[in-house]
Amino acid sequence: MPIAHQFHTAQIQQLAQQIIRASESIRREQMRASEILLREIEEERLYPFEYVQYRITGYRGDDTEQSMLLGSPLLGDLVALIAIVSRTLHISSSGMLSVKESSSRLGISQRTLSRLRHEGLVFYWVNEKSGRQRLGCTVELLEQFKERHCQRLQTASQFSRLSKIEQHDIVELALRYEGKGRTLSEVASELSKQSTRGHETIRSLLQK
């Protein structure tokens, strides 16, 4: 996995760059504040950047024009910010689940796990005794994410178990609906009646 996913918003990317230039105590404090804020973000809501900045740094801007950030990309940007800041700190790998262990615990593929980081799954860069850095996640953070995204993980787990042949067959069937004015969800609903796979699993495949 990369150090962090690409930022969606320049404001959060610039904020991350400001944080990594601060002292270690401030970096740790603001990384923790970012984690707390991340748990409160709702995908469909809009958040003023000044509010996000205040929650992380305690600084209130005086701009009259407030930039509004949509929750869904903001989740991914906060995960990226946390990853970048963590790489500048010495965080022990003790008790930290690896990417492989995390994906196994959630019952999904490592590729799917990487996509979930866009949706708010936090990983730190941690240091092993050898000095090697790797991505790590605490059991607590993993369980919190699992609790908040139970349906999403169930769908992801089912999607991960789709064989290449099943994926190909579903896409082939979906292509027959082309030009009939049906939504992705409607096509997935019809295909689920002809398959052992659920509506959300098929819709996720077609969307991908």
Side-chain angles (χ1 to χ4, degrees):
M1 286 188 184
I3 295 173
H5 289 294
Q6 186 175 0
F7 284 92
H8 296 93
T9 57
Q11 295 99 321
I12 302 299
Q13 184 174 19
Q14 290 167 6
L15 179 59
Q17 293 303 315
Q18 291 172 18
I19 293 173
I20 63 175
R21 291 195 292 267
S23 66
E24 180 177 345
S25 61
I26 290 177
R27 275 178 278 153
R28 288 184 181 275
E29 179 184 333
Q30 294 184 355
M31 185 177 74
R32 178 58 180 162
S34 300
E35 295 168 15
I36 294 171
L37 173 61
L38 187 146
R39 293 199 294 269
E40 301 173 15
I41 298 299
E42 298 177 21
E43 291 186 356
E44 302 302 322
R45 286 191 60 185
L46 290 171
Y47 297 86
F49 170 69
E50 286 72 14
Y51 169 76
V52 174
Q53 179 178 245
Y54 173 73
R55 288 292 306 274
I56 295 175
T57 67
Y59 170 76
R60 286 189 184 276
D62 54 5
D63 294 339
T64 55
E65 294 185 10
Q66 295 205 12
S67 301
M68 303 300 290
L69 308 177
L70 181 63
S72 50
L74 178 57
L75 284 170
D77 282 357
L78 289 175
V79 169
L81 181 150
I82 291 166
I84 286 173
V85 175
S86 73
R87 204 161 194 252
T88 70
L89 302 168
H90 191 283
I91 301 174
S92 172
S93 64
S94 177
M96 291 285 190
L97 299 172
S98 67
V99 170
K100 184 177 180 180
E101 290 169 334
S102 298
S103 61
S104 177
R105 194 179 183 99
L106 294 176
I108 57 177
S109 69
Q110 292 183 39
R111 181 175 294 181
T112 299
L113 185 75
S114 180
R115 288 198 295 269
L116 291 180
R117 291 176 70 195
H118 285 289
E119 300 176 28
L121 180 55
V122 171
F123 272 81
Y124 310 96
W125 280 95
V126 298
N127 294 76
E128 297 182 335
K129 290 182 179 179
S130 64
R132 172 179 171 269
Q133 279 193 314
R134 67 168 174 85
L135 284 167
C137 181
T138 66
V139 173
E140 180 185 9
L141 283 174
L142 205 64
E143 290 301 317
Q144 287 175 354
F145 185 86
K146 186 176 180 179
E147 184 178 344
R148 293 196 307 273
H149 300 83
C150 183
Q151 181 59 49
R152 172 71 176 90
L153 286 169
Q154 184 178 2
T155 301
S157 178
Q158 292 172 345
F159 180 80
S160 295
R161 291 196 292 269
L162 280 175
S163 68
K164 292 292 184 183
I165 294 175
E166 284 181 295
Q167 292 182 35
H168 178 270
D169 289 346
I170 289 171
V171 171
E172 283 291 314
L173 286 172
L175 288 174
R176 298 177 187 177
Y177 290 94
E178 186 177 3
K180 295 185 178 180
R182 301 189 185 183
T183 66
L184 198 66
S185 184
E186 288 171 342
V187 171
S189 179
E190 291 204 20
L191 291 179
S192 68
K193 297 172 186 176
Q194 307 171 39
S195 169
T196 58
R197 300 299 181 177
H199 169 269
E200 280 301 313
T201 301
I202 294 174
R203 190 185 68 79
S204 294
L205 171 63
L206 299 182
Q207 189 173 40
K208 177 174 179 289

